[in-house]
Amino acid sequence: MPNTAATEKSSKADAANVPLSRGLSTKLLLLTILFVMLAEVLIFVPSIANFRLRWLEERLATAAAVGIVLVESDPQSLSRIVQDNVLLALGAKAVALRSEGVSQLLVVSEMPPEVDAHVDLANAGPWMAMRDAIDTMLFGGRRVLRVFGPVGESTSEFELIIADKNLRQAMLVYARNVAILSLIISLITATLVFYAINRIMIRPIRDMTHSMLSFAEAPDDPSRIVRPERRGDEIGVAERELAAMQTNLQRTLAERKHLADLGLAVSKINHDMRNMLATAQLMSDRLRTVNDPTVQNFVPKLVRTLDRAVSYSEGVLAYGRTQEAPPSRRRVRLSQLVDDVFALIGMDAVGGIELRNDVGPEFEVDADSDQLFRVLSNLARNAAEAMASDRGEAVVRRLTIGAERTGSVSRILVEDTGPGLPQKARENLFAAFRGSARSGGTGLGLAIAFELVRAHGGSIELVESRGGRTVFAITIPDQPVDLDSARGTLRRPA
């Protein structure tokens, strides 16, 4: 047991001190950065493809401007030095003009033996542009490109022979700048998202977690109950439900503690109570020798009452531990049992109440006689106490117990003409300490009756409760027949 307690204490400490690397806050921050970077990557590929096309278009436009000047003048009149300077400024190897199906080489420094790729700026689709951009970044730098297409509203087509070395360097610089900017945007976005979600969700969840752990350490401390915020979202609903659950649990634990204290107190007086009852039994046995007819009439009832009291005293410890003995079921004549209950009610000096036994003399019920007696006596005593509060002499005060059978099910009706159960008692019916029908009561009578009837596989319910009529119905089915035992009995030879 000490090891188990130490393990539970260690588990609670671990739960209360979650490492930062495993906390929701850290996970949320990392996921936010990851998702923003992923979004930037998805944006980056079309962006770098567009940068490549714009870079080539700018070079081709510059080459077209130079080409138009050269066309208007005599290209052959330019010296080699001037041509090289023009191409060096463009970063190209040659510039050509194609008009009406005829190509004219305007400027050339050195004509490469072959061209590695042809780029048609007029027909560059998005997918092709992204593919070529990735290819240039990963494998470019030593290739020669032929770039061609119309410029502006001109009907002529210009061609540019250019190496992709400068293009690749410009793309890498652009990619670096985009990556740095994306990282900054990701951090800013992640910080804002983290702050918002942490304030809206993570912090309330953390507070609820700490409240649950704190409540588990001392569930009887009212200060450990979570204090819900005034929120209309799901977190607010969860906080209010948690607070209600902790409040109900605290109330239930208090009631269970009261029951445990009651069982402990009863266990301390149990020994002395048995001794006193034993003495009363001896005195009742001596009363049998008295020849007075009145005494002889009451002695059997007194003996049975004392026997039941001794039995209750012996079983009170089990009840204090919320352990009722299983019913020992027999066929019981209910009419005689009701007479015993009424005799006990009459001995309690509840005067002015008419006790009516409407159970047929031959009616039988399959039940434990002592437990059924306890059920009926609890219901009858509650009814008698309720009707005793009516002081008017003309008020009808009648307690009636009847019974009916449907197939293998017995139904016992306990009816009185009292004032009826109050609303609080009806809402907490059969709940100990909450279902009392009178001030100062504990509500244990109905709780005990409910438990005993349920042990028989039956049910007890309030059929009706209003001024002048309150009816409880007890339903007890007969014991099921064991088919294997029955078949074995039938097959046994005589």
Side-chain angles (χ1 to χ4, degrees):
M1 292 300 291
N3 294 335
T4 303
T7 302
E8 292 180 354
K9 184 176 181 180
S10 176
S11 300
K12 291 181 178 179
D14 293 341
N17 301 306
V18 178
L20 184 62
S21 59
R22 292 194 289 114
L24 289 177
S25 302
T26 303
K27 294 179 181 178
L28 175 63
L29 183 61
L30 294 177
L31 286 176
T32 304
I33 295 176
L34 176 62
F35 292 154
V36 173
M37 291 297 294
L38 180 61
E40 292 292 341
V41 169
L42 296 177
I43 297 174
F44 170 76
V45 177
S47 177
I48 196 66
N50 184 67
F51 174 83
R52 176 176 175 273
L53 292 177
R54 298 290 81 79
W55 192 91
L56 293 174
E57 288 176 353
E58 290 176 0
R59 297 301 182 276
L60 186 61
T62 304
V66 174
I68 292 174
V69 174
L70 294 176
V71 169
E72 295 296 332
S73 62
D74 185 6
Q76 302 298 330
S77 63
L78 296 177
S79 65
R80 172 59 60 182
I81 296 176
V82 174
Q83 293 184 25
D84 290 343
N85 290 335
V86 171
L87 294 174
L88 182 62
L90 294 174
K93 296 181 180 296
V95 177
L97 171 64
R98 185 178 181 84
S99 179
E100 298 179 357
V102 178
S103 297
Q104 180 182 359
L105 188 61
L106 301 179
V107 183
V108 60
S109 61
E110 57 175 332
M111 185 61 69
E114 61 178 351
V115 175
D116 297 307
H118 301 269
V119 181
D120 184 1
L121 296 178
N123 300 309
W127 297 108
M128 183 181 299
M130 288 187 287
R131 183 198 65 186
D132 294 342
I134 298 298
D135 182 68
T136 301
M137 286 189 61
L138 297 178
F139 308 108
R142 297 180 180 180
R143 297 175 180 176
V144 177
L145 305 178
R146 173 178 172 264
V147 183
F148 59 94
V151 176
E153 297 180 358
S154 176
T155 58
S156 301
E157 189 176 78
F158 292 87
E159 297 182 6
L160 182 65
I161 306 299
I162 187 172
D164 68 346
K165 181 179 179 181
N166 293 335
L167 172 60
R168 183 171 184 270
Q169 290 178 351
M171 293 175 66
L172 291 177
V173 172
Y174 177 81
R176 181 196 64 191
N177 295 336
V178 170
I180 295 174
L181 181 61
S182 298
L183 181 59
I184 295 174
I185 294 175
S186 299
L187 292 176
I188 295 175
T189 305
T191 302
L192 294 176
V193 172
F194 167 77
Y195 176 78
I197 297 182
N198 182 71
R199 188 171 183 83
I200 296 173
M201 294 182 58
I202 303 300
R203 190 181 68 177
I205 292 176
R206 186 186 298 116
D207 293 342
M208 284 194 293
T209 302
H210 290 165
S211 174
M212 288 187 288
L213 294 174
S214 177
F215 184 81
E217 293 176 357
D220 57 339
D221 186 358
S223 64
R224 304 292 181 97
I225 297 177
V226 65
R227 291 176 174 80
E229 299 179 1
R230 295 181 179 180
R231 303 176 49 156
D233 55 8
E234 291 82 353
I235 297 294
V237 174
E239 289 179 341
R240 288 190 290 273
E241 291 297 325
L242 177 60
M245 182 183 67
Q246 290 178 338
T247 303
N248 293 334
L249 180 59
Q250 192 173 87
R251 184 185 301 114
T252 302
L253 291 176
E255 293 174 356
R256 294 295 176 87
K257 184 178 182 300
H258 291 165
L259 284 175
D261 293 341
L262 175 63
L264 179 62
V266 170
S267 66
K268 293 180 179 179
I269 66 173
N270 183 53
H271 179 71
D272 293 338
M273 179 67 71
R274 290 181 59 188
N275 290 338
M276 288 185 288
L277 292 174
T279 301
Q281 279 184 311
L282 293 175
M283 296 177 63
S284 64
D285 288 339
R286 294 182 179 180
L287 288 177
R288 295 179 182 273
T289 61
V290 178
N291 294 326
D292 190 341
T294 303
V295 173
Q296 293 298 322
N297 185 33
F298 281 101
V299 165
K301 296 180 181 179
L302 178 60
V303 171
R304 286 197 300 269
T305 301
L306 290 175
D307 289 341
R308 288 195 176 97
V310 171
S311 177
Y312 298 161
S313 179
E314 292 175 348
V316 73
L317 287 178
Y319 174 74
R321 295 190 300 267
T322 66
Q323 296 176 354
E324 279 289 349
S328 178
R329 304 180 68 162
R330 296 290 189 275
R331 303 295 296 185
V332 178
R333 294 191 182 277
L334 184 59
S335 179
Q336 183 176 347
L337 197 64
V338 172
D339 287 338
D340 293 343
V341 171
F342 285 167
L344 180 62
I345 298 298
M347 291 174 62
D348 286 344
V350 181
I353 297 179
E354 178 186 353
L355 304 176
R356 178 181 295 178
N357 185 352
D358 284 351
V359 181
E362 302 299 327
F363 189 92
E364 297 179 357
V365 59
D366 186 359
D368 184 311
S369 60
D370 290 336
Q371 292 188 3
L372 184 56
F373 179 87
R374 292 171 62 187
V375 172
L376 294 177
S377 62
N378 281 330
L379 292 176
R381 192 185 304 276
N382 288 345
E385 291 176 351
M387 289 185 291
S389 61
D390 292 332
R391 301 300 181 182
E393 296 182 358
V395 175
V396 176
R397 289 179 288 180
R398 181 187 304 116
L399 172 62
T400 305
I401 298 181
E404 58 187 13
R405 173 175 285 274
T406 303
S408 61
V409 177
S410 300
R411 191 165 186 260
I412 306 172
L413 299 176
V414 180
E415 177 183 349
D416 67 74
T417 59
L421 295 175
Q423 181 64 29
K424 181 179 179 181
R426 291 198 296 269
E427 292 175 354
N428 301 281
L429 206 59
F430 310 120
F433 301 109
R434 287 187 293 170
S436 176
R438 58 185 176 86
S439 176
T442 62
L444 286 174
L446 290 178
I448 294 173
F450 178 81
E451 182 178 352
L452 295 177
V453 172
R454 187 174 58 179
H456 283 76
S459 63
I460 179 172
E461 60 179 340
L462 178 64
V463 177
E464 183 180 0
S465 181
R466 54 184 175 84
R469 179 176 169 83
T470 299
V471 182
F472 279 91
I474 304 169
T475 303
I476 299 179
D478 294 343
Q479 297 181 78
V481 178
D482 188 345
L483 295 179
D484 293 335
S485 300
R487 289 169 181 169
T489 303
L490 293 174
R491 292 174 183 174
R492 189 178 303 154

